[in-house]
């Protein structure tokens, strides 16, 4: 059997590859043998050929892939808490739970090595690529499903704890308070602060995480009151079946009936939002040498290192940081700027400047939703 591994993880998960595919849910129905056979050849295509394929025609599904044991792990974690509802899980275009529908959609690119590689090429990173990261996201999305399956937002105490919710999606922009102790910090970007629904989902995920002493971690925090409420609320649901399970068609929500090139054109455009303007005077101060190597060459040589470090310390998407670096490189070239190679402080100054630009963007009220 082939072995699929996750990046930066030593585990090897074995699976059968009748097709190398992964469409949706364990309750997968409707694929014919001919569809499966026609989908089986896409893994050998190069990027230019692959992006011409329509995602919905790849024959994708979750069972017999490395993700299936992780989905079962989520169900085991819920069961260990006495909860009986296992949210159905499907393949979609991104991480999400449809409004009012207690079901989890995971992004299609996670199921197969070839598609993870394409996602990394197109977006520079793969959200949820390691088992640990995947499970953090699954616990968060499970919180949303429980919110809908048990109509939790109708409870007066829920509203007192998390605020008034609505049928609107999480807003695209929000202004976080990084040092607030009123919210747990589970996912990046202080995501619990985005919306009352996200606050609950993050609190639920924190509560669900195995072997995590949330009482100790959040002692003295106002967020502890929310965790204790979730603990009390989930205990009241022990063994209880869902009260709201609307019927739905997976195809109405997975948004996969597009070509890969269309999907990535939309995604890249979404991530290519403009950062605050930077000024030529800043670049001239950074790269003020009368001679030496071109500043654009200097930045290109250090591009990946700068991108990784800035993304790590700001929690910004690598794709966006990379776009900013592209603008800096192009403008430095236009201005004809140069830098003395070998200055030990130069890397620090450049990284600090780019980090400042990114943080300025993040905290001007334009904070992009990423989950």
């Amino acid at each position: 059997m082939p072995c699929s591994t996750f990046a930066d993880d030593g585990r090897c998960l074995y699976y059968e590859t009748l097709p190398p595919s992964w469409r949706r849910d364990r309750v997968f129905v409707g694929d014919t043998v001919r569809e499966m056979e026609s989908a089986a050849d896409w893994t050998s295509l190069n990027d230019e050929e692959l992006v011409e394929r329509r995602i919905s025609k790849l024959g994708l599904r979750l069972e017999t892939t490395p993700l299936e044991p992780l989905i079962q792990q989520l169900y085991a974690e819920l069961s260990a808490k006495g909860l009986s509802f296992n949210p159905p899980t499907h393949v979609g275009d991104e991480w999400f739970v449809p409004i009012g529908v207690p079901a989890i959609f995971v992004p299609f690119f996670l199921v197969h090595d070839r598609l993870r590689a394409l996602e990394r090429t197109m977006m520079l990173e793969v959200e949820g690529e390691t088992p640990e990261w995947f499970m953090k996201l699954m616990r968060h999305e499970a919180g949303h499903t429980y919110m809908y399956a048990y109509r939790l937002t109708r409870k007066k105490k829920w509203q007192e704890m998390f605020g008034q919710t609505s049928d609107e999606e999480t807003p695209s922009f929000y202004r976080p308070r990084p040092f607030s102790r009123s919210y747990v910090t589970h996912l990046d970007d202080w995501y619990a602060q985005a919306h009352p629904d996200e606050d609950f989902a993050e609190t639920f995920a924190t509560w669900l995480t195995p072997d995590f002493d949330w009482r100790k971690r959040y002692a003295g925090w106002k967020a502890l009151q929310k965790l204790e409420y979730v603990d009390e609320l989930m205990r009241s649901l022990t063994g209880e079946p869902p009260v709201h399970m609307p019927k739905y068609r997976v195809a109405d929500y997975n948004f996969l009936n597009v070509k890969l090139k269309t999907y990535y054109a939309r995604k890249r455009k979404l991530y290519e939002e403009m950062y605050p303007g930077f000024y030529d005077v800043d670049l001239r101060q950074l790269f003020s040498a009368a001679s030496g190597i071109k500043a654009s060459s200097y930045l290109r040589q250090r591009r990946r290192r700068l991108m990784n470090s800035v993304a790590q310390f700001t929690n910004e998407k690598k794709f966006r940081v990379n776009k900013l670096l592209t603008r800096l490189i192009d403008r430095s070239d236009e201005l004809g700027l140069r830098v003395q190679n070998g200055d030990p402080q130069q890397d620090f100054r450049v990284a600090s400047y780019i980090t400042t630009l990114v943080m300025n963007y993040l905290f001007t009220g334009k904070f992009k939703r990423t989950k």
Side-chain angles (χ1 to χ4, degrees), residues 307-347:
M307 176 186 68
N308 289 339
S309 61
V310 172
Q312 177 183 354
F313 288 106
T314 64
N315 287 328
E316 182 55 290
K317 290 291 186 182
K318 289 182 181 179
F319 187 81
R320 290 198 184 103
V321 177
N322 192 53
K323 294 299 293 186
L324 176 58
L325 278 165
T326 297
R327 293 179 62 195
L328 289 168
I329 289 169
D330 290 346
R331 189 57 182 156
S332 296
D333 222 9
E334 292 168 1
L335 295 174
L337 301 179
R338 293 187 172 273
V339 62
Q340 289 293 338
N341 203 13
D343 180 352
Q345 294 299 314
Q346 188 65 39
D347 287 0

Side-chain angles (χ1 to χ4, degrees), residues 136 178 180 183-187 190 192 202 206 217-218 221:
K136 288 184 73 171
S180 173
Y183 305 88
V184 297
T185 54
H186 176 70
L187 297 177
W190 306 278
E202 287 287 83
T206 300
R217 167 64 179 81
Y218 290 99
W221 287 45

Side-chain angles (χ1 to χ4, degrees), residues 134-181:
F134 184 89
M135 291 308 302
K136 288 184 73 171
L137 289 158
M138 285 294 285
R139 294 179 191 116
H140 172 95
E141 303 299 358
H144 286 300
T145 68
Y146 267 72
M147 191 175 68
Y148 294 135
Y150 293 91
R151 297 189 183 277
L152 300 180
T153 59
R154 297 185 177 186
K155 295 180 178 294
K156 183 178 180 180
K157 190 170 182 180
W158 193 100
Q159 296 172 7
E160 291 173 352
M161 284 289 174
F162 299 102
Q164 292 292 327
T165 186
S166 69
D167 289 336
E168 298 179 0
E169 295 182 1
T170 303
S172 297
F173 303 103
Y174 60 99
R175 188 190 299 273
R177 292 180 291 130
F179 302 106
S180 173
R181 292 193 165 197

Side-chain angles (χ1 to χ4, degrees), residues 81-361:
K81 294 286 191 176
L83 300 173
S84 60
F85 172 54
N86 291 333
T89 306
H90 311 284
V91 174
D93 66 331
E94 63 173 320
W95 286 99
F96 74 103
V97 170
I99 293 176
V101 178
I104 299 172
F105 285 76
V106 300
F108 67 90
F109 51 77
L110 284 176
V111 187
H112 194 279
D113 288 341
R114 179 67 187 91
L115 293 167
R116 285 201 295 273
L118 180 64
E119 174 76 4
R120 186 176 299 282
T121 296
M122 302 299 285
M123 304 306 301
L124 304 178
E125 59 187 334
V126 183
E127 187 177 29
E129 67 175 327
T130 66
E132 292 75 18
W133 194 358
F134 184 89
M135 291 308 302
K136 288 184 73 171
L137 289 158
M138 285 294 285
R139 294 179 191 116
H140 172 95
E141 303 299 358
H144 286 300
T145 68
Y146 267 72
M147 191 175 68
Y148 294 135
Y150 293 91
R151 297 189 183 277
L152 300 180
T153 59
R154 297 185 177 186
K155 295 180 178 294
K156 183 178 180 180
K157 190 170 182 180
W158 193 100
Q159 296 172 7
E160 291 173 352
M161 284 289 174
F162 299 102
Q164 292 292 327
T165 186
S166 69
D167 289 336
E168 298 179 0
E169 295 182 1
T170 303
S172 297
F173 303 103
Y174 60 99
R175 188 190 299 273
R177 292 180 291 130
F179 302 106
S180 173
R181 292 193 165 197
S182 296
Y183 305 88
V184 297
T185 54
H186 176 70
L187 297 177
D188 292 337
D189 304 339
W190 306 278
Y191 197 49
Q193 301 183 35
H195 188 275
D197 293 359
E198 305 303 342
D199 191 5
F200 171 79
E202 287 287 83
T203 306
F204 178 93
T206 300
W207 169 83
L208 183 62
T209 303
D211 302 320
F212 180 67
D213 190 345
W214 48 266
R215 286 189 174 88
K216 180 179 179 180
R217 167 64 179 81
Y218 290 99
W221 287 45
K222 188 176 180 180
L224 184 61
Q225 298 175 19
K226 297 175 182 177
L227 283 160
E228 289 173 339
Y229 169 66
V230 168
D231 185 55
E232 173 191 335
L233 182 58
M234 292 303 115
R235 288 179 188 276
S236 74
L237 299 179
T238 298
E240 293 293 322
V243 298
H244 177 66
M245 288 296 293
K247 292 183 179 180
Y248 61 93
R249 290 192 337 127
V250 174
D252 292 339
Y253 292 100
N254 65 16
F255 307 114
L256 298 179
N257 194 29
V258 294
K259 289 184 177 181
L260 279 159
K261 69 177 181 181
T262 302
Y263 169 81
Y264 281 113
R266 292 173 180 171
K267 190 171 185 177
R268 288 161 71 103
K269 183 178 180 181
L270 179 67
Y271 282 12
E272 285 174 3
E273 295 169 336
M274 298 295 283
Y275 284 96
F278 52 86
Y279 303 98
D280 290 353
V281 64
D282 295 332
L283 293 176
R284 288 193 171 102
Q285 287 179 347
L286 276 173
F287 306 120
S288 57
S291 60
I293 66 170
K294 294 174 67 174
S296 56
S297 298
Y298 166 88
L299 289 171
R300 286 191 184 96
Q301 292 170 9
R302 292 158 175 79
R303 183 181 200 131
R304 182 161 295 279
R305 187 197 315 164
L306 287 167
M307 176 186 68
N308 289 339
S309 61
V310 172
Q312 177 183 354
F313 288 106
T314 64
N315 287 328
E316 182 55 290
K317 290 291 186 182
K318 289 182 181 179
F319 187 81
R320 290 198 184 103
V321 177
N322 192 53
K323 294 299 293 186
L324 176 58
L325 278 165
T326 297
R327 293 179 62 195
L328 289 168
I329 289 169
D330 290 346
R331 189 57 182 156
S332 296
D333 222 9
E334 292 168 1
L335 295 174
L337 301 179
R338 293 187 172 273
V339 62
Q340 289 293 338
N341 203 13
D343 180 352
Q345 294 299 314
Q346 188 65 39
D347 287 0
F348 174 77
R349 287 193 292 268
V350 172
S352 298
Y353 175 62
I354 297 172
T355 299
T356 299
L357 287 178
V358 173
M359 295 306 291
N360 182 48
Y361 171 75

